[in-house]
């Protein structure tokens, strides 16, 4: 599946340009316009890289980054700022940023930096935790919990949830799920996807998380929460 990048900037023109440009480079781009929205979606852990402007309404990029690292979200972050002072860059790196880019920047350089983050994230991503409200998917331990209580899933059910949670707020088609979970298994069909999503839903419903996995008719499936919906316009 395409690498997923969160772009956070309060300037609509910048967001549109980066969304178009990075999408053309083969990335799945989600945008946010302010600090609180960025924190809400980024804390899911479902992004491969985050492009984070420092000057944001509501909550600065520094504070967003600080909160993410305090919550254990290790997604690689590239800070973007018009400030080019050594102290500003040092502050960002000390808070846990993986890079610092000064405006105005070359798009070619931006893409190179984002790809470097994606390579770094690919090495560490298998240990990331995904969060959808009180539902936590621990990818390293291959365990799921709801409000701190374990949720028992079969390996296939876990794999389905893992794919959906890793694209939190975005629709995943049946074919994408089929490829990601079943791979080259010749006997696997779209019907198998429907069956296992049904199994997964029943188990989530039993622990009060039944609203997290939804069907988007004619398109596929979506893992989200009300808070993520509000940010992404679902």
């Amino acid at each position: 599946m395409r690498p997923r990048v969160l772009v956070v900037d309060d300037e609509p023109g910048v967001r549109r340009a980066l969304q178009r440009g990075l999408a053309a480079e083969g990335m799945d781009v989600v945008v946010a316009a302010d600090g609180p929205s960025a924190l809400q979606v980024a804390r899911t852990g479902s992004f491969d890289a985050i492009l984070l402007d420092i000057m944001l309404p509501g909550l600065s990029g520094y504070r967003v980054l600080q909160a993410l690292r305090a919550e254990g979200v290790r997604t690689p972050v590239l800070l973007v700022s018009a400030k080019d002072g050594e102290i500003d860059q040092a502050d960002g790196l000390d808070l846990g940023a993986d890079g610092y880019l000064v405006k105005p920047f070359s798009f070619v350089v931006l893409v190179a930096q984002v790809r470097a983050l994606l390579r770094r994230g690919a090495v560490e991503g298998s240990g990331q935790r995904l969060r959808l409200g009180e539902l936590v998917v621990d990818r390293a331990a291959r365990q799921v919990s709801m409000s701190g209580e374990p949720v028992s899933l079969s390996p296939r059910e876990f794999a389905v949830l893992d794919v959906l949670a890793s694209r939190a707020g975005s629709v995943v088609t049946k074919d994408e799920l089929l490829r990601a979970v079943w791979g080259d298994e010749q006997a696997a069909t779209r019907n198998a996807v429907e069956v296992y999503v049904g199994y997964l839903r029943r188990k989530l419903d039993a622990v009060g998380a039944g609203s997290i996995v939804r069907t988007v008719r004619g398109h596929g499936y979506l893992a989200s929460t009300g808070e993520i919906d509000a940010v992404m316009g679902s």
Side-chain angles (χ1 to χ4, degrees):
M1 299 178 83
R2 286 156 47 114
R4 196 172 196 231
V5 178
L6 175 63
V7 172
V8 189
D9 198 291
D10 62 336
E11 298 180 32
V14 172
R15 289 198 304 275
R16 286 193 296 269
L18 291 177
Q19 187 169 33
R20 286 196 301 267
L22 293 175
E25 293 291 327
M27 302 176 199
D28 180 10
V29 184
V30 173
V31 297
D34 58 65
S37 296
L39 180 57
Q40 196 66 252
V41 293
R43 65 176 19 135
T44 63
S46 64
F47 294 93
D48 299 300
I50 300 173
L51 186 59
L52 180 63
D53 193 34
I54 290 177
M55 301 300 291
L56 294 169
L59 202 63
S60 74
Y62 285 141
R63 300 288 79 79
V64 172
L65 174 61
Q66 186 177 40
L68 290 175
R69 295 302 186 242
E71 292 178 18
V73 178
R74 300 193 302 274
T75 308
V77 172
L78 176 61
L79 286 176
V80 179
S81 176
K83 298 180 178 181
D84 60 357
E86 291 182 355
I87 293 177
D88 298 302
Q89 297 186 41
D91 285 345
L93 295 173
D94 283 345
L95 287 172
D98 299 88
Y100 191 104
L101 192 61
V102 178
K103 292 181 177 179
F105 49 78
S106 157
F107 183 70
V108 173
V109 172
L110 170 69
V111 171
Q113 294 234 26
V114 171
R115 291 201 184 283
L117 293 190
L118 293 173
R119 288 193 294 273
R120 185 177 308 167
V123 174
E124 302 173 354
S126 60
Q128 180 70 285
R129 287 190 174 195
L130 304 172
R131 294 177 175 83
L132 289 159
E134 293 300 312
L135 186 72
V136 176
V137 180
D138 187 331
R139 306 179 94 175
R142 296 188 67 79
Q143 295 176 346
V144 177
S145 63
M146 177 65 183
S147 300
E149 295 299 318
V151 180
S152 178
L153 299 180
S154 72
R156 194 81 78 179
E157 291 162 356
F158 177 89
V160 170
L161 178 59
D162 181 53
V163 173
L164 294 175
S166 72
R167 315 297 286 186
S170 296
V171 176
V172 179
T173 68
K174 289 181 183 179
D175 285 339
E176 286 172 335
L177 268 175
L178 191 60
R179 287 193 297 270
V181 176
W182 281 266
D184 297 329
E185 291 183 31
Q186 297 298 319
T189 65
R190 288 185 179 185
N191 184 60
V193 174
E194 295 174 6
V195 169
Y196 274 89
V197 169
Y199 292 159
L200 174 62
R201 273 194 178 130
R202 283 193 286 276
K203 289 188 176 181
L204 293 180
D205 191 53
V207 296
S211 64
I212 287 177
V213 174
R214 314 166 192 169
T215 297
V216 181
R217 297 198 180 280
H219 296 281
Y221 302 100
L222 169 74
S224 191
T225 64
E227 292 79 11
I228 297 172
D229 291 344
V231 175
M232 300 183 65
S234 300

